[in-house]
Structure formats: structure tokens, C-alpha cells
Amino acid sequence: MLKPVDKINYRIVKELGVLSKKDNTSTELNLISYNDYKPKLDLRKWETKEDGTKFLQRGLTLTDAEAKELYKALETYLASVEVAKEVKEA
């Protein structure tokens, strides 16, 4: 049986990009280490308080293998969107 975690510690190893920002909430892609484990890609919403403190919101973490599969799927999707756009414009 899994033991509940008292506190999750995290460290942003590298900020990779901000995908969107609205008011005090942003969607960011970062490389994050949780509880001193190997860093993972992390896509998540963050809430920034008035004092500049950031709080984790809902998100998704990906291993390198999962990120590669997501990359392949996005390539396929974006290529089909681009083809559809070119057909519409013709």
C-alpha cells in the first residue's frame, strides 16, 4: 500500500517556455525535479501571487520517452493541420 506524501518538494531545473499567460495564471513547460528525483518535463498551470510566489496548479509530467512519443504525435497532427490549411487556401 502506498504511503501518503506529507509534502512534495520541487525544483525547477530549467524553464523551457511559457505557452500562455492570463491575469495571474500561466501555462509553462519546465524541467522539474520532484522530491530530488530525476527531472522530468512538466507542463502545468502556475498561479502567481501578488508577492511573486508561484504555486503549482493542475499539470502533467512526462518522462523523456513519453515526451518523444508526444513529439511524434504532435508532428503528425501539425502536419495534417498544415495540409488541411493549404488545401483550404488553394
Side-chain angles (χ1 to χ4, degrees):
M1 184 172 195
L2 293 175
K3 181 177 110 178
V5 178
D6 292 330
K7 184 176 180 183
I8 297 175
N9 296 311
Y10 68 89
R11 179 176 54 90
I12 298 175
V13 176
K14 186 171 186 177
E15 296 175 345
L16 301 172
V18 176
L19 281 60
S20 65
K21 196 169 195 170
K22 183 177 179 185
D23 300 324
N24 65 334
T25 304
S26 60
T27 302
E28 300 180 16
L29 180 64
N30 297 305
L31 192 60
I32 296 184
S33 171
Y34 288 97
N35 293 331
D36 297 321
Y37 284 97
K38 180 180 176 185
K40 294 183 179 184
L41 279 175
D42 187 88
L43 179 62
R44 131 174 0 265
K45 289 197 179 288
W46 292 82
E47 181 182 351
T48 305
K49 299 293 183 184
E50 289 181 16
D51 66 359
T53 306
K54 292 171 77 170
F55 291 93
L56 298 131
Q57 302 297 311
R58 296 187 67 93
L60 173 71
T61 59
L62 299 168
T63 63
D64 289 344
E66 291 168 330
K68 286 176 186 175
E69 291 303 314
L70 176 60
Y71 179 81
K72 289 178 196 175
L74 285 171
E75 265 188 327
T76 301
Y77 170 73
L78 293 173
S80 69
V81 169
E82 192 59 36
V83 168
K85 180 181 173 186
E86 289 173 6
V87 169
K88 270 187 169 179
E89 292 175 353

